[in-house]
Amino acid sequence: MQVIFDALPLLLVGAKLTFQITVLSVGFGCIIGLFAGLCRLSRSRVLRYLATGYVDFFRGTPLLVQIFMLYFGMPQVVEMLQLYLLNEYGIPKMVDVSNVSRYWIAVLGCSLNSGAYIAEIFRAGVQSIERGQMEAARSLGMTQNQAMRYVILPQAFKRVIPPLGNEFIAMLKDTSLLSVIGVEELTRKGQLIIAVNYQSAAIWFAVAMIYLLMTLTFSRIVDWLERRLKTDDRG
């Protein structure tokens, strides 16, 4: 137990970073996902195809590969693009790709991945609202956008809270993949501590317990929020 107590301060620092990245990723993912989900429902064929391509790509490829593409591949693409603009049009380099921030690459990768899943959550939520709701709003003189904003989306949001909670928990666990690019979240902190004291059994047990504590806490918060929203509906 003494090994765990000694490692606990560093593990909690990693847990704090894990939580921060998860909150930012799911937050940005909600914005991306709402936009992509509405594009999937759009009458515009171009928007539907673009949104479908985005969702299919990020849901159909592993998060680990996406992280590698962003961390190792994106700087090369940006550098090649800047060289092309410099040689062809004389436009100087605008971005220094030699010092890419692991933290923001991690947030970007997780946000794009999360956004693809949340897009489907929002799409399903909007489609679950009875068609009569839209027709009633339009009969009151609302435009399509107004009906979606003031009538459909508020109802859909209540229905998507449970799956959004599941997405948050899944992303919280998936952040452990960020250890491969050196982001010192909870799993990476555990690896670094084990490299010093060689107490792998105790440290991995402590890491697992911290993940479990975080996921259970958030699960209870989602349950409470879901009950609260149902109560409000009855009122």
Side-chain angles (χ1 to χ4, degrees):
M1 289 297 291
Q2 188 58 44
V3 174
I4 294 177
F5 285 131
D6 292 342
L8 200 54
L10 282 177
L11 291 178
L12 290 179
V13 172
K16 181 181 176 183
L17 187 60
T18 292
F19 186 73
Q20 283 179 350
I21 292 174
T22 305
V23 170
L24 285 174
S25 299
V26 176
F28 289 135
C30 283
I31 297 171
I32 298 169
L34 178 59
F35 182 74
L38 292 178
C39 286
R40 291 263 281 162
L41 297 170
S42 171
R43 294 175 181 174
S44 167
R45 187 176 297 179
V46 174
L47 289 179
R48 282 205 312 274
Y49 285 165
L50 288 174
T52 301
Y54 160 72
V55 169
D56 287 346
F57 179 81
F58 281 95
R59 282 167 57 96
T61 56
L63 176 58
L64 182 60
V65 175
Q66 295 162 18
I67 292 168
F68 282 147
M69 285 176 60
L70 288 171
Y71 186 67
F72 296 110
M74 189 174 69
Q76 291 183 3
V77 173
V78 172
E79 185 67 19
M80 289 169 59
L81 179 62
Q82 291 191 125
L83 281 175
Y84 172 78
L85 293 175
L86 179 64
N87 294 331
E88 294 295 325
Y89 303 102
I91 299 175
K93 291 184 179 180
M94 294 174 285
V95 181
D96 180 13
V97 295
S98 61
N99 189 23
V100 179
S101 167
R102 290 188 180 92
Y103 178 83
W104 287 110
I105 288 290
V107 172
L108 176 62
C110 292
S111 297
L112 290 171
N113 182 273
S114 185
Y117 286 92
I118 293 174
E120 291 300 273
I121 292 172
F122 275 123
R123 185 172 69 91
V126 169
Q127 287 180 324
S128 71
I129 304 301
E130 294 74 15
R131 185 183 295 270
Q133 295 284 324
M134 174 63 80
E135 294 170 353
R138 295 300 302 274
S139 68
L140 292 174
M142 291 186 181
T143 65
Q144 180 88 12
N145 290 337
Q146 287 173 331
M148 182 64 73
R149 180 178 176 185
Y150 297 114
V151 178
I152 304 300
L153 285 181
Q155 297 182 72
F157 183 73
K158 291 183 180 180
R159 296 187 182 183
V160 302
I161 283 180
L164 277 181
N166 292 334
E167 170 59 22
F168 185 93
I169 291 170
M171 181 50 64
L172 191 145
K173 292 183 290 184
D174 284 347
T175 55
S176 61
L177 296 172
L178 300 174
S179 61
V180 298
I181 60 171
V183 177
E184 295 188 11
E185 39 69 60
L186 179 55
T187 300
R188 181 63 178 164
K189 281 291 185 189
Q191 291 175 333
L192 295 174
I193 294 169
I194 292 169
V196 174
N197 63 18
Y198 302 105
Q199 299 293 325
S200 58
I203 298 302
W204 285 129
F205 176 76
V207 169
M209 288 300 103
I210 294 173
Y211 273 118
L212 183 62
L213 181 63
M214 289 194 291
T215 55
L216 286 178
T217 300
F218 195 76
S219 294
R220 299 300 176 269
I221 292 173
V222 172
D223 290 344
W224 173 82
L225 193 56
E226 190 178 0
R227 288 197 301 273
R228 182 68 183 269
L229 290 173
K230 285 181 179 177
T231 304
D232 289 346
D233 281 344
R234 293 192 191 99

